[in-house]
């Protein structure tokens, strides 16, 4: 399209009837990923076989790992005649019979557009399942990947966490948003532990899709939190939500125990957000950070200064899940970057807090108009082809789902002082490459 | 709309070797709850038609269907206009559409596409949700077609009707009913063929099309690798349908034979022997002596050229043994390619193969070859017992190769270079050379310092 940039307003409602080159991913995909972050969980998608197959290929290519995922293969007949009992129960029977050595400790069942349209009562099916069972309603005609992930964390707490009144003083739960990669949650946990917290994360991909070679991969979720841990989450003294999407999960936990302290951070990128984070941990524990953490803050300060010449003279466009966009945008702006547009996959209240020139929900067709003037785009791999086709040489840093171009996505780290430092250097180096070129 | 009668017909395809030995009414397998791993009917339909670069493919459904699947297949095209195969278009329906119906959104979307992109045709794919709520896609497409003056083709292959294969067949039906025979070619030759079922993944077709050209075979239309909608509309004037590897479009070929009297041959372009065999099948079916003579000449030249290039590899591969674990016709077609390179194939998988495929696999591997029905559990043993040096399989089997300290090649659809035709065999040889020479498999399998020797 050749006309001038359209100004699309931030709205809950779509601005056109279709999506062209979509960046939005579905709720069931977020739910599936969340269940992979639970130890010995069997993620079961209640859907026709394609929903699971697409999702599996998507994550296989993004993480370069075998993916634990199963589906109930709803057919045209069961779509009409079955209320879900047959296909769900048969699936569990078939899967566990075929893999006799497999001992799932949790069945993570989530729905899709198809099974929500036909209206299966997935809650009541659970009464017939002997293995602990968690259900989530995730139609793919609502929300997106970020909300599917968050709804799953909420469902796990709602359905499995036992209500208590006492708290264990140093027990901490992190609720990370969907775009936080396996190595990142590991780093954030480490940071909290350095303050003396016994730290759990829900979901916890740090031991699941972290790219560690081992036998028998891809049969069950291998996350670092198990169903036993989830049952006892109400004894946490503190719950920290990372990303606005995760607030619903914290609210569910507070209902199990109103004595838990809830701290919220929209993201964990950049100097000021991490200062808030560290200050909060210091306040609770009444101790100083480790010397290494202090050192990383100094390195981040230095990185901001080193990179500000390049970042401060450049314009950016960011596309992706809302919580991820919020963190990246603030970090770039903290070093003087001009963010021309943030194009989000779905609507989220956090988008209102982003101070970019244009913030809206859209697709890559919309984003393309902003790419033309940008020095650097931060988005998923789909942006690459579009950038290749334009005259101006615009750089691309790949973040968010999916990234089929690069290896090692699971070990990228943009969080905390440390990750933000590496992120700023990556951005500055890419800008130098781009600006040298032109 | 898609109906039971049509699905039954496609599932019981008489021309398909899967169904020869089955009792009436058995037909193709239905997906089993919990055990179905492959794609759905929509996936199959999309794969079959997506390579038409001059058409826009609009997926009428919720987000999973297209959101996770666009720009994932390297189906290359030489189309000079805007390449729509690397783009994604979806109505991305919302709760409102589920409740009130998505027809208006669909009509608006087609209008939007016509205003902004002006394609040669629009394919509209129904999906589980839009089929279940009963959107009248046929009528919306018909009205849009009249309004905009281009074919707007409804493709009824919602995921829940079955697997990928059925979806491809349904896509074939959509093309047959809506496109084939709706236009006349500018001219015809006695050597016009339709290529059916090659999607030009990583440019597979381009490995053998130059050879066709040398011989004088003209490709009138393609379904759908590097295809054009304008051409497939003229497909009824071809002299021969050539179905490449994929058996899923066999119904289309049978019906074109019934409707237009076009015979068909089924061929594969994997490896030297199969490529040569394929070319000869085609020219023999076209039945022109001069063409056959010319084909023999060209084949002799190409084979000589290939043999020379292969000498270096054959010396490297002497005495090497391979275990192959892949699906369908690849079980024998890749085996044949490996044998052409002088590698002994000691075992292959027949888990997803038809009776014909199994017979072919037996023929290629010989009496002593192992045909694995359950390759996941058999392949490790086969490697040990037969002393294999390399495993060619999907990514999940990587760990088996590492544990057995042998080389590994991933032979799934996400390959980056073509293994088709004479030229593709050289690509395969090059990849094999690197795999054999790479010490990584042995290095990775070393014990950790804390593990007992």
């Amino acid at each position: 399209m050749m006309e001038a940039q359209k100004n699309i307003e931030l709205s809950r409602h779509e601005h056109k009837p279709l999506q062209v080159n979509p960046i939005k991913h579905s709720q069931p995909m977020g739910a599936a990923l969340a269940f992979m972050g639970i130890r010995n969980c069997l993620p079961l998608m209640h859907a026709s076989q394609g929903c699971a197959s697409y999702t599996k290929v998507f994550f296989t290519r993004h993480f370069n790992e075998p993916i634990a995922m199963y589906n109930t293969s709803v057919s045209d007949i069961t779509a009409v005649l079955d209320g879900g009992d047959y296909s769900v129960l048969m699936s569990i029977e078939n899967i566990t019979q075929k893999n006799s050595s497999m001992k799932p400790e949790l069945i993570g069942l989530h729905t899709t557009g198809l099974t929500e349209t036909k209206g299966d009562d997935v809650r009541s099916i659970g009464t017939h399942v002997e293995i602990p069972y968690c259900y989530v309603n995730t139609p793919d005609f609502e929300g997106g990947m970020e909300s599917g992930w968050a709804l799953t964390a909420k469902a796990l707490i709602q359905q499995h966490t036992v209500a208590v009144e006492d708290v264990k003083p140093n027990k901490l739960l992190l609720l990370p948003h969907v775009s936080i990669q396996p190595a990142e949650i590991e780093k954030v946990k480490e940071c909290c532990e350095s303050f003396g917290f016994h730290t759990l994360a829900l979901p916890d991909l740090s031991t699941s899709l972290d790219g560690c070679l081992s036998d028998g991969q891809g049969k069950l979720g291998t996350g670092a939190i198990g169903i036993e841990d989830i049952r006892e989450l109400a004894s946490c003294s503190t719950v920290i939500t990372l990303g606005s999407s995760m607030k619903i999960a914290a609210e569910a936990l507070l209902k199990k125990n109103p004595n838990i302290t809830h701290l919220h951070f929209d993201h964990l990128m950049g100097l000021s957000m991490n200062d808030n984070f560290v200050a909060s941990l210091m306040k609770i524990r009444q101790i100083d950070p480790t010397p290494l953490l202090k050192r990383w803050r100094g390195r981040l300060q230095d990185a901001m200064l080193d990179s500000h010449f390049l970042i401060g003279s450049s314009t950016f466009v960011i596309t992706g899940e809302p919580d991820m966009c919020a963190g990246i945008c603030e970090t770039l702006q903290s070093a003087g970057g001009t963010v021309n547009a943030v194009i989000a996959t779905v609507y989220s209240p956090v988008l209102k807090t982003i101070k970019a020139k244009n913030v809206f929900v859209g697709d890559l067709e919309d984003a393309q108009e902003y790419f033309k003037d940008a020095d650097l785009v931060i988005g998923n791999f789909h942006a690459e082809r579009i950038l290749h086709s334009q005259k101006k040489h615009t750089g691309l840093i790949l973040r968010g789902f999916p990234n089929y171009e690069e290896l090692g996505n699971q070990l990228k780290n943009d969080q905390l002082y440390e990750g933000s430092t590496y992120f700023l250097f990556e951005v500055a180096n890419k800008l130098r490459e781009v600006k040298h070129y032109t | 709309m898609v109906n039971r009668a049509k699905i039954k017909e496609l599932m019981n395809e008489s021309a398909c070797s899967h169904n020869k030995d089955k009792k009436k009414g058995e037909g193709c397998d239905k997906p089993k709850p919990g055990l179905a791993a492959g794609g759905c009917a929509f996936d199959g339909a999309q794969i079959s038609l997506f390579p038409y670069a001059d058409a826009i493919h609009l997926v009428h459904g919720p987000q999973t269907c297209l959101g996770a699947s666009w720009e994932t297949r390297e189906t290359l095209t030489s189309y000079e206009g805007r390449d729509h195969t690397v783009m994604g278009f979806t109505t991305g329906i919302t709760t409102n559409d589920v409740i009130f119906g998505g027809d208006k959104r669909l009509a608006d979307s087609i209008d939007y596409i016509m205003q902004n992109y002006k394609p040669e045709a629009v394919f509209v794919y129904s999906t589980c949700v839009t089929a279940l709520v009963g959107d009248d896609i046929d009528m919306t497409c018909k009205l849009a077609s009249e309004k905009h003056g281009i074919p707007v083709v409804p493709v009824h292959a919602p995921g829940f009707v079955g697997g990928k294969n059925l979806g491809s067949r349904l896509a074939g039906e959509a093309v047959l009913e809506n496109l084939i025979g709706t236009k006349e070619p500018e001219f015809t030759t006695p050597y016009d063929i339709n290529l059916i079922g090659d999607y030009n993944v990583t440019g597979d077709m381009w490995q053998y099309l130059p050879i066709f050209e040398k011989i004088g075979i003209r490709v009138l239309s393609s379904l759908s690798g590097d295809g054009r909608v304008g051409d497939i509309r003229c497909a009824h004037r071809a002299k021969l349908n050539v179905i490449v590897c994929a058996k899923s479009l066999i119904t289309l070929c049978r019906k074109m034979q019934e409707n237009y009297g076009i015979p068909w041959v089924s061929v594969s372009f994997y490896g030297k022997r199969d490529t040569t065999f394929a070319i000869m099948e085609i020219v023999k079916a076209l039945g022109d002596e001069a063409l056959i003579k010319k084909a023999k000449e060209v084949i002799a030249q190409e084979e000589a050229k290939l043999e020379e290039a292969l000498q270096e590899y054959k010396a490297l591969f002497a005495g090497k043994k391979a275990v192959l674990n892949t699906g369908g016709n690849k079980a024998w077609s890749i085996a044949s390619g490996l044998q052409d390179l002088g590698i002994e194939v000691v075992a292959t998988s027949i888990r997803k193969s038809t009776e014909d495929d199994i017979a072919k696999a037996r023929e290629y591997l010989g009496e002593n070859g192992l045909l694995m029905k359950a390759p996941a559990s058999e392949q490790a043993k086969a490697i040990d017992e037969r002393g294999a040096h390399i495993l060619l399989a999907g990514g999940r089997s990587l760990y088996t190769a590492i544990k057995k300290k042998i080389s590994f090649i991933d032979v799934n659809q996400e390959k980056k270079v073509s293994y088709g035709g004479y030229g593709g065999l050289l690509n395969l040889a090059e990849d094999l050379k690197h795999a054999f020479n790479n010490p990584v498999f042995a290095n990775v399998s070393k014990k950790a310092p804390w593990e007992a020797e």
Side-chain angles (χ1 to χ4, degrees):
Chain A
M1 259 141 284
M2 290 300 138
E3 71 263 40
Q5 278 180 8
K6 275 184 256 172
N7 280 315
I8 302 166
E9 282 191 24
L10 176 57
S11 157
R12 282 176 178 277
H13 304 287
E14 301 151 299
H15 61 272
K16 58 187 183 192
L18 78 172
Q19 293 174 45
V20 181
N21 295 342
I23 49 172
K24 178 170 135 185
H25 300 298
S26 70
Q27 283 206 135
M29 297 174 70
L33 187 63
F35 280 128
M36 286 175 227
I38 312 299
R39 189 188 312 126
N40 290 329
C41 174
L42 190 153
L44 184 58
M45 192 183 265
H46 190 27
S48 82
Q49 56 177 330
C51 307
S53 157
Y54 279 133
T55 305
K56 195 167 181 153
V57 171
F58 180 92
F59 287 127
T60 304
R61 289 186 63 181
H62 179 85
F63 290 108
N64 263 288
E65 290 295 307
I67 297 296
M69 254 190 77
Y70 300 86
N71 78 109
T72 58
S73 347
V74 175
S75 71
D76 48 349
I77 308 268
T78 49
V80 178
L81 298 179
D82 174 33
D85 302 51
Y86 168 78
S87 39
V88 172
L89 298 176
M90 274 307 288
S91 298
I92 297 171
E93 195 182 315
N94 285 340
I95 296 163
T96 45
Q97 262 178 11
K98 196 186 169 214
N99 306 284
S100 49
S101 61
M102 183 200 264
K103 297 274 176 276
E105 290 167 21
L106 176 72
I107 304 288
L109 185 103
H110 61 98
T111 59
T112 53
L114 169 63
T115 46
E116 285 294 329
T117 306
K118 75 197 197 72
D120 285 358
D121 185 0
V122 288
R123 181 177 161 194
S124 78
I125 297 168
T127 56
H128 306 292
V129 183
E130 284 165 10
I131 305 163
Y133 168 91
C134 177
Y135 65 91
V136 203
N137 298 97
T138 47
D140 54 351
F141 45 75
E142 274 175 18
M145 192 185 219
E146 194 172 270
S147 57
W149 164 277
L151 284 169
T152 306
K154 178 186 163 191
L156 282 162
I157 291 170
Q158 253 178 355
Q159 295 166 35
H160 289 280
T161 303
V162 181
V164 291
E165 281 175 7
D166 295 335
V167 295
K168 290 186 180 163
N170 298 322
K171 190 174 169 188
L172 171 76
L173 175 66
L174 292 168
L175 293 167
H177 66 79
V178 72
S179 308
I180 292 187
Q181 298 288 306
E184 295 182 323
I185 192 60
E186 181 177 286
K187 293 277 183 189
V188 180
K189 274 166 70 186
E190 261 176 28
C191 175
C192 295
E193 283 182 355
S194 77
F195 281 91
F197 284 104
H198 168 53
T199 313
L200 293 156
L202 182 74
D204 191 342
L205 290 173
S206 64
T207 54
S208 181
L209 292 164
D210 59 323
C212 182
L213 186 71
S214 62
D215 200 1
Q217 273 174 310
K219 286 197 170 163
L220 290 175
T222 54
I225 187 167
I227 185 68
E228 285 303 318
D229 305 319
I230 295 170
R231 286 199 185 106
E232 292 168 11
L233 284 179
S235 64
C236 287
S237 55
T238 310
V239 59
I240 295 181
T241 40
L242 304 176
S244 133
S245 60
M246 299 306 285
K247 282 181 182 166
I248 53 167
E251 281 158 15
L253 187 62
L254 292 180
K255 285 201 181 122
K256 301 284 182 175
N257 185 353
N259 298 319
I260 300 173
T261 310
H262 175 206
L263 302 173
H264 173 75
F265 303 92
D266 280 343
H267 56 84
L268 269 193
M269 287 183 70
L271 187 67
S272 77
M273 196 57 95
N274 276 295
D275 281 349
N276 293 342
F277 179 68
V278 169
S280 302
L281 299 183
M282 286 169 63
K283 197 173 151 201
I284 299 172
R285 293 285 301 142
Q286 293 294 319
I287 56 170
D288 249 17
T290 61
L292 186 61
L293 189 62
K294 289 180 183 170
R295 188 120 199 119
W296 269 115
R297 186 178 191 274
R299 289 173 183 160
L300 174 56
Q301 288 172 305
D302 196 51
M304 289 166 78
L305 292 171
D306 290 349
S307 64
H308 87 277
F309 296 107
L310 279 156
I311 293 177
S313 58
S314 301
T315 53
F316 300 87
V317 175
I318 305 164
T319 73
E321 301 293 338
D323 287 338
M324 182 191 84
C325 289
I328 291 174
C329 186
E330 195 181 311
T331 309
L332 293 173
Q333 287 172 336
S334 73
T338 306
V339 180
N340 268 346
V342 171
I343 297 102
T345 50
V346 284
Y347 178 82
S348 156
V350 81
L351 295 175
K352 286 188 187 151
T353 69
I354 295 178
K355 293 182 193 69
K357 283 185 185 163
N358 297 281
V359 183
F360 61 94
V361 177
D363 54 29
L364 287 181
E365 185 194 53
D366 304 323
Q368 196 167 353
E369 297 183 29
Y370 298 91
F371 286 177
K372 285 185 290 206
D373 304 315
D375 295 304
L376 188 73
V377 169
I378 296 163
N380 71 15
F381 101 106
H382 289 300
E384 188 173 15
R385 195 182 297 267
I386 292 168
L387 291 175
H388 272 306
S389 68
Q390 69 177 30
K391 275 187 204 136
K392 180 179 161 65
H393 191 64
T394 297
L396 173 65
I397 283 193
L398 289 161
R399 287 296 187 274
F401 292 99
N403 179 356
Y404 300 154
E405 277 301 305
E406 294 176 330
L407 300 173
N409 294 316
Q410 60 273 60
L411 300 182
K412 276 186 181 162
N413 176 21
D414 298 335
Q415 311 299 317
L416 302 168
Y417 295 130
E418 180 183 341
S420 307
T421 305
Y422 285 122
F423 177 73
L424 286 176
F425 284 139
E426 188 183 342
V427 168
N429 290 337
K430 181 62 84 173
L431 283 169
R432 176 162 292 160
E433 198 182 300
V434 172
K435 293 191 159 176
H436 261 251
Y437 184 94
T438 40
Chain B
M1 277 299 290
V2 61
N3 56 52
R4 294 300 305 166
K6 168 149 284 171
I7 291 181
K8 213 167 158 190
E9 180 200 352
L10 293 172
M11 296 282 270
N12 294 309
E13 174 54 51
S14 56
C16 175
S17 64
H18 260 135
N19 292 327
K20 270 185 200 156
D21 305 322
K22 289 196 173 146
K23 288 188 208 105
K24 206 168 176 242
E26 271 187 353
C28 291
D29 295 335
K30 276 284 198 187
K32 271 203 189 111
L35 299 183
C40 61
F42 161 70
D43 193 1
Q46 187 179 225
I47 284 172
S48 291
L49 301 178
F50 231 70
Y52 286 124
D54 56 349
I56 276 180
H57 303 263
L58 176 61
V59 179
H60 186 38
Q63 202 59 31
T64 309
C65 310
L66 182 82
S69 69
W70 71 283
E71 207 187 348
T72 50
R73 283 172 63 89
E74 306 248 335
T75 51
L76 306 183
T77 180
S78 60
Y79 181 57
E80 283 173 359
R82 189 202 305 261
D83 177 7
H84 297 124
T85 67
V86 293
M87 299 181 71
F89 295 81
T90 181
T91 54
I93 58 161
T94 62
T95 314
N96 247 358
D97 305 305
V98 174
I99 298 167
F100 299 108
D103 290 318
K104 181 166 187 311
R105 180 190 285 274
L106 177 58
D108 290 349
S109 298
I110 298 170
D111 288 347
Y112 183 96
I113 285 170
M114 290 313 295
Q115 228 168 45
N116 294 288
Y117 293 93
K118 299 185 182 59
E120 297 291 316
V122 179
F123 289 95
V124 175
Y125 299 79
S126 75
T127 57
C128 294
V129 176
T130 52
L132 197 65
V133 301
D135 280 356
D136 192 357
I137 296 171
D138 283 332
M139 182 51 87
T140 307
C141 287
K142 187 165 175 275
L143 292 175
S145 184
E146 283 163 8
K147 181 174 176 185
H148 299 293
I150 58 153
V152 179
V153 181
V155 183
H156 294 291
F160 57 43
V161 300
K164 239 183 199 174
N165 197 300
L166 177 64
S168 296
R169 290 174 191 210
L170 288 164
E173 291 292 300
V175 170
L176 191 66
E177 281 167 21
N178 296 284
L179 292 172
I180 293 174
T182 59
K183 200 176 147 186
E184 291 302 323
E186 279 172 26
F187 67 98
T188 57
T189 78
Y191 315 120
D192 284 357
I193 63 164
N194 298 319
L195 274 177
I196 311 286
D198 192 329
Y199 306 124
N200 202 30
V201 178
T202 64
D204 276 344
M205 287 167 62
W206 296 338
Q207 300 282 1
Y208 58 80
L209 285 186
I211 301 171
F212 281 15
E213 213 167 293
K214 273 189 205 164
I215 298 170
I217 303 165
R218 184 174 82 132
V219 177
L220 179 65
S221 79
S222 161
L223 200 176
S224 57
D226 198 10
R228 308 285 182 273
V229 170
D231 294 340
I232 195 71
R233 297 176 70 183
C234 311
H236 59 298
R237 294 298 176 207
K239 302 295 181 292
L240 181 70
N241 274 334
V242 176
I243 183 161
V244 184
C245 272
K247 292 259 172 69
S248 50
L249 289 165
I250 213 153
T251 309
L252 175 94
C253 291
R254 177 176 58 79
K255 286 191 174 176
M256 282 182 77
Q257 183 160 32
E258 284 163 12
N259 297 353
Y260 304 109
I262 304 174
W264 51 279
V265 290
S266 176
V267 298
S268 151
F269 288 95
Y270 265 109
K272 188 182 83 173
R273 272 174 301 167
D274 282 350
T275 303
T276 298
F277 181 77
I279 295 169
M280 287 313 294
E281 282 284 290
I282 294 167
V283 291
K284 276 186 214 157
L286 288 169
D288 181 294
E289 283 307 322
L291 194 73
I292 294 173
K293 189 164 165 278
K294 180 78 187 162
K296 283 182 177 162
E297 279 169 30
V298 173
I299 287 170
Q301 283 167 16
E302 293 290 331
E303 283 196 351
K305 216 163 67 187
L306 179 68
E307 271 310 313
E308 201 188 314
L310 284 183
Q311 282 320 310
E312 162 202 0
Y313 296 105
K314 279 192 170 171
L316 279 173
F317 299 159
K320 294 278 195 235
K321 293 176 189 172
V323 169
L324 182 60
N325 172 9
T326 177
N329 52 19
K330 280 196 285 183
W332 54 266
S333 62
I334 294 186
S336 129
L338 290 169
Q339 289 173 340
D340 289 338
L341 296 170
I343 293 169
E344 186 187 346
V345 182
V346 291
T348 191
S349 156
I350 50 162
R351 197 173 64 87
K352 286 196 277 182
S353 306
T354 64
E355 287 304 317
D356 286 357
D357 289 333
I358 294 170
K360 271 217 163 119
R362 174 56 71 207
E363 183 194 325
Y364 278 129
L365 264 64
E367 262 175 52
N368 296 325
L370 176 66
L371 305 187
M372 303 180 289
K373 275 193 189 135
S377 55
E378 286 179 73
Q379 63 185 8
K381 212 173 128 207
I383 291 168
D384 283 342
E385 284 177 1
R386 314 256 165 164
H389 303 91
I390 191 166
L391 174 66
L392 297 98
R396 268 184 174 229
S397 298
L398 172 65
Y399 200 82
T400 308
I402 301 267
K403 254 200 324 213
K404 296 292 166 203
K405 306 185 186 201
I406 64 168
S407 309
F408 181 82
I409 282 194
D410 195 338
V411 281
N412 65 10
Q413 303 130 354
E414 277 106 39
K415 64 190 165 69
K416 294 283 180 214
V417 297
S418 167
Y419 292 159
Y422 297 121
L425 198 55
L426 285 171
N427 291 339
L428 179 63
E430 192 62 19
D431 282 354
L432 282 162
K433 183 179 93 177
H434 292 309
F436 281 128
N437 287 342
N438 201 320
V440 70
F441 305 101
N443 288 339
V444 161
S445 61
K446 276 183 190 146
K447 281 218 159 36
W450 54 87
E451 284 171 337
E453 272 306 313

